[in-house]
Amino acid sequence: MYRMNGINLKRLLLTGAMLLLVASTCWAGFEEQVHRDMAVESAYLISPVGQLWLVDIDATKGVQVGDLFTVVEKGDPIVHPVTKEVLGTLDVVTGVLRITKVKAGYSYAAVLESEATFKPGQSVKRFANLPATFWDYTGAGVGVYTDLQAGLSELDWVSYEAAQQARPVTPVAQTGMPIGLVFVLTEQGLAVKDQSLQPLRFYRPAELNPAAVATLPPMAATPSGQMAASSSIMAPAPQAAGIVAAPPQAGAMAGASGGSTMFGGLFSSGPQGQQGQVVQGQRGGLIVNQMDNKKGVWYGPRMHGKPVGIDVGDFDGDGKNDVALCFRDRLVLANVENGQFKPVAEHAFGNYGNALSLDALDLNNDGRMEFYVSVVSMNSVMSVVLELQDDELVRVIEQIPYFLRKVNMGAEGNVLLGQELNPNLLEKNHDLAGSIFRVNRVGDQLERAGSVNIPSTVTLFGFMPFESDGRALIANISVNDKLQAVEPSGANLWESSEHFGGSEASFERPEGTNDMSTRYAFLKPRIEPGPNQTVLVPVNEGSRLFGSLREYKNSHLRAVAYDGYSMVERWRTKPQGGYMADYRVADADNDGVDEIVMLVMFSHGGWLKSDAGDSALLIYEMQ
């Protein structure tokens, strides 16, 4: 039997004490950030829309999809017995709403609970008068609980002891829990979820208090041949396979590990120097070490065809997310639960044209998302809208003469935009032309709305507005596959030296007005918002020389952020063999946690087989 000597015992005790110190230090002061994100916000009910209600509040108040609002009726006044001063009212909660969509100026909310009929003008409050439970999986979270209770005082907190006694072995939803909030503290961070464990917010210690992590004392080196005491106490927590560090910057030790032990040594707020200390002043990001290539990644079945797009959402109104996979010749709808890929419906485009992009939104507000597919046939745009009806994918709007794309427009959320094909065949670098315009759905028709204030150098595909320190900017992939930071005026603030993007989604166009030959026009891939004010950009690597033979063999997803001078890398997924046709960040498998969802083409097939090849759905766990 192994016996611990005095030196190892002291090291074990010292390490345990340091782990508790790290836990308390990393979380010190976090309540300000959490309180800002989850502050009580008051609003009013506007009017019912079907089964939903409109609420006069939007993202400018920090509201997000999933936020819970209580419907409040003022009760009897509370009067001081001596001074007769009215101290307040005994408010009565008559219902609970959940935000399902955030628009500019208002939001949609679903009714979760109702004890009376709601009326326009009734007061609602976000994160107020709801039961709150705290599950501590670190053993050192009493102080975190105390700070949460003090900072979010309008919640009805279950005591720390009672919550711990009822806490499940692993954080899973419990039957019979009332509608409210569950705060889950693990080695990875603090997750805020609703009673069904749907995620609302997530905080990592280094994000909440970077200075605390940066000033941690270095751990003593373990003599060769001896097991580190910390390894017997805290094993690395399971993390997202595929998330790796930004490349080492000048002054950072390449390959060095370390970081906050709250993360099991897997994550850091920056590049690492000697003895695991964070190197100050360097640009860095999320670091994961000792990762197996396939650990934390779910692979779907092989699917034949040329992939062009993917989206995730509730397409049948059952409250669960499905996954839509679009190929050049067909659209496939499936759901993923308990590790099983189950096809739901399939629609072949046939001779209608070739699909080039896929986006999904609920523009008719019926609680079910529709499919918006950009389709080109013989140099003519003939886009289409499909819906799931009685387990069949049905075309409801056809021959739309412009391209369609869903773009996140900041406070407005996701908006459907359109742009026309450029009729000037001599402008070979500008296959889309004219203003980018908003697209609304009215019944079974799409209507053009106002133009979007976007520079003329930016086209419909491969751009996203974002903010940096209150400054409005645009991330854009240029015609040469260079990432740019652009001002709304059109001024180019920065351009990458390396290639980003890369797409095989293409259609044929005449080479010129008097030329019978043709060329290939390529659409740029999507740019999406990432966590912590980052911008997600796909990177496909391979041949860009010959249009018809463009082929990418490796890919990864990269998160970047603007630092005032350039777009700085924060993290990236592990490189993978294959072309990334599209990606999303969404809860694809209905486990209550968002994942990185990719549609990747692993095999291009042989020559003269433009639609051949094998693709698969990949789901990367992020927590």
Side-chain angles (χ1 to χ4, degrees):
M1 180 180 294
Y2 173 79
R3 293 182 180 273
M4 187 177 296
N5 58 34
I7 295 177
N8 282 338
L9 178 60
K10 290 180 180 179
R11 182 177 293 117
L12 177 62
L13 294 174
L14 175 62
T15 303
M18 291 191 67
L19 289 176
L20 293 177
L21 174 63
V22 168
S24 60
T25 304
C26 286
W27 288 102
F30 82 99
E31 67 276 2
E32 295 181 5
Q33 179 66 41
V34 180
H35 185 260
R36 280 196 298 268
D37 292 348
M38 303 193 64
V40 174
E41 295 289 349
S42 298
Y44 294 96
L45 297 179
I46 302 174
S47 62
V49 179
Q51 300 298 315
L52 305 177
W53 273 86
L54 297 181
V55 185
D56 68 337
I57 196 168
D58 61 11
T60 59
K61 295 293 186 179
V63 173
Q64 299 181 14
V65 171
D67 284 0
L68 301 178
F69 280 73
T70 51
V71 183
V72 180
E73 286 188 0
K74 286 193 174 183
D76 296 334
I78 303 173
V79 181
H80 193 282
V82 177
T83 65
K84 306 303 179 181
E85 178 186 359
V86 177
L87 303 178
T89 57
L90 291 171
D91 293 346
V92 178
V93 175
T94 61
V96 182
L97 303 173
R98 181 181 185 273
I99 298 298
T100 61
K101 186 187 300 185
V102 180
K103 294 290 209 176
Y106 63 96
S107 298
Y108 288 85
V111 178
L112 300 184
E113 189 174 79
S114 173
E115 296 180 0
T117 303
F118 298 158
K119 299 177 182 178
Q122 275 188 287
S123 174
V124 295
K125 287 187 177 182
R126 184 183 72 158
F127 299 139
N129 305 111
L130 290 168
T133 302
F134 182 81
W135 290 345
D136 180 11
Y137 289 89
T138 69
V142 177
V144 178
Y145 169 81
T146 302
D147 287 340
L148 281 172
Q149 191 179 34
L152 304 175
S153 58
E154 292 206 34
L155 295 174
D156 298 329
W157 288 91
V158 177
S159 71
Y160 178 84
E161 293 77 12
Q164 286 301 96
Q165 289 178 0
R167 171 178 63 84
V169 177
T170 57
V172 294
Q174 304 294 293
T175 57
M177 290 190 71
I179 297 174
L181 301 177
V182 180
F183 295 77
V184 183
L185 182 66
T186 66
E187 308 299 341
Q188 297 161 303
L190 176 69
V192 184
K193 302 173 181 284
D194 64 17
Q195 77 286 346
S196 60
L197 273 288
Q198 294 293 316
L200 300 177
R201 306 286 191 280
F202 189 79
Y203 304 92
R204 290 190 170 91
E207 296 168 356
L208 296 168
N209 193 8
V213 179
T215 56
L216 290 175
M219 296 292 290
T222 303
S224 176
Q226 293 187 13
M227 179 181 68
S230 60
S231 65
S232 64
I233 297 176
M234 185 178 296
Q239 303 292 340
I243 305 296
V244 299
Q249 306 291 333
M253 179 180 290
S257 62
S260 167
T261 49
M262 280 289 288
F263 297 92
L266 291 179
F267 289 88
S268 169
S269 60
Q272 305 298 304
Q274 294 181 351
Q275 297 180 327
Q277 289 179 308
V278 176
V279 179
Q280 298 301 304
Q282 300 295 334
R283 298 173 181 174
L286 201 56
I287 294 181
V288 176
N289 300 317
Q290 301 174 351
M291 302 304 298
D292 186 311
N293 244 357
K294 295 186 178 180
K295 183 179 178 182
V297 185
W298 180 88
Y299 289 77
R302 287 183 175 272
M303 305 182 72
H304 189 70
K306 188 84 170 179
V308 297
I310 186 173
D311 214 334
V312 178
D314 183 3
F315 298 98
D316 54 11
D318 65 352
K320 294 183 179 181
N321 283 338
D322 304 298
V323 180
L325 308 171
C326 190
F327 297 84
R328 192 181 180 103
D329 62 341
R330 71 194 190 280
L331 176 65
V332 178
L333 182 64
N335 59 55
V336 179
E337 280 194 275
N338 301 319
Q340 299 296 315
F341 181 89
K342 299 179 180 179
V344 174
E346 183 170 323
H347 178 85
F349 296 112
N351 296 326
Y352 189 78
N354 294 323
L356 295 177
S357 70
L358 168 70
D359 291 285
L361 297 100
D362 180 16
L363 290 189
N364 61 358
N365 298 315
D366 66 351
R368 299 179 299 124
M369 299 180 78
E370 309 95 50
F371 308 89
Y372 295 85
V373 186
S374 296
V375 178
V376 173
S377 176
M378 301 296 293
N379 196 41
S380 297
V381 184
M382 303 176 66
S383 297
V384 62
V385 180
L386 298 99
E387 291 180 356
L388 184 66
Q389 298 179 2
D390 299 324
D391 296 328
E392 291 188 7
L393 293 171
V394 179
R395 297 177 190 170
V396 293
I397 308 177
E398 300 181 280
Q399 298 185 349
I400 304 163
Y402 45 81
F403 293 94
L404 300 170
R405 185 50 126 193
K406 178 173 67 177
V407 178
N408 187 284
M409 300 295 288
E412 291 185 72
N414 291 321
V415 176
L416 187 64
L417 303 179
Q419 192 174 22
E420 294 181 335
L421 183 68
N422 188 355
N424 188 347
L425 297 175
L426 299 180
E427 295 183 347
K428 299 180 181 180
N429 289 329
H430 302 283
D431 291 296
L432 278 70
S435 62
I436 299 174
F437 49 87
R438 299 170 186 271
V439 179
N440 295 330
R441 180 174 176 178
V442 180
D444 286 338
Q445 288 186 336
L446 293 188
E447 293 186 352
R448 303 187 190 200
S451 298
V452 180
N453 185 22
I454 295 294
S456 59
T457 55
V458 175
T459 55
L460 180 63
F461 295 90
F463 87 95
M464 189 197 81
F466 71 100
E467 282 194 3
S468 176
D469 293 330
R471 183 182 187 184
L473 297 172
I474 299 169
N476 180 56
I477 298 177
S478 73
V479 67
N480 297 316
D481 282 349
K482 299 298 179 71
L483 181 62
Q484 299 172 328
V486 182
E487 286 188 322
S489 64
N492 190 5
L493 300 177
W494 173 83
E495 183 173 288
S496 66
S497 58
E498 60 182 316
H499 286 119
F500 281 76
S503 172
E504 294 184 16
S506 65
F507 59 99
E508 286 188 85
R509 300 203 73 189
E511 183 70 33
T513 54
N514 298 316
D515 197 336
M516 297 300 294
S517 62
T518 61
R519 64 178 178 86
Y520 284 83
F522 290 85
L523 302 186
K524 294 180 288 187
R526 77 175 71 251
I527 299 179
E528 288 278 282
N532 305 318
Q533 287 76 54
T534 57
V535 176
L536 299 180
V537 190
V539 179
N540 282 300
E541 301 169 344
S543 171
R544 284 177 164 85
L545 297 178
F546 305 103
S548 61
L549 301 179
R550 183 177 292 192
E551 191 171 288
Y552 299 102
K553 298 297 183 68
N554 293 283
S555 60
H556 66 271
L557 186 63
R558 198 176 300 187
V560 298
Y562 189 69
D563 67 354
Y565 301 95
S566 62
M567 301 293 276
V568 179
E569 181 175 338
R570 296 306 186 199
W571 53 263
R572 65 173 71 179
T573 58
K574 273 193 172 183
Q576 60 192 2
Y579 158 63
M580 187 197 312
D582 201 5
Y583 69 96
R584 294 292 188 189
V585 177
D587 180 13
D589 55 5
N590 294 289
D591 64 351
V593 179
D594 282 350
E595 299 93 20
I596 297 175
V597 189
M598 295 182 184
L599 181 56
V600 177
M601 187 175 188
F602 294 101
S603 168
H604 283 78
W607 291 80
L608 304 179
K609 295 182 179 180
S610 59
D611 287 331
D614 288 316
S615 305
L617 169 68
L618 273 65
I619 300 178
Y620 284 73
E621 297 293 342
M622 292 198 297
Q623 287 191 45

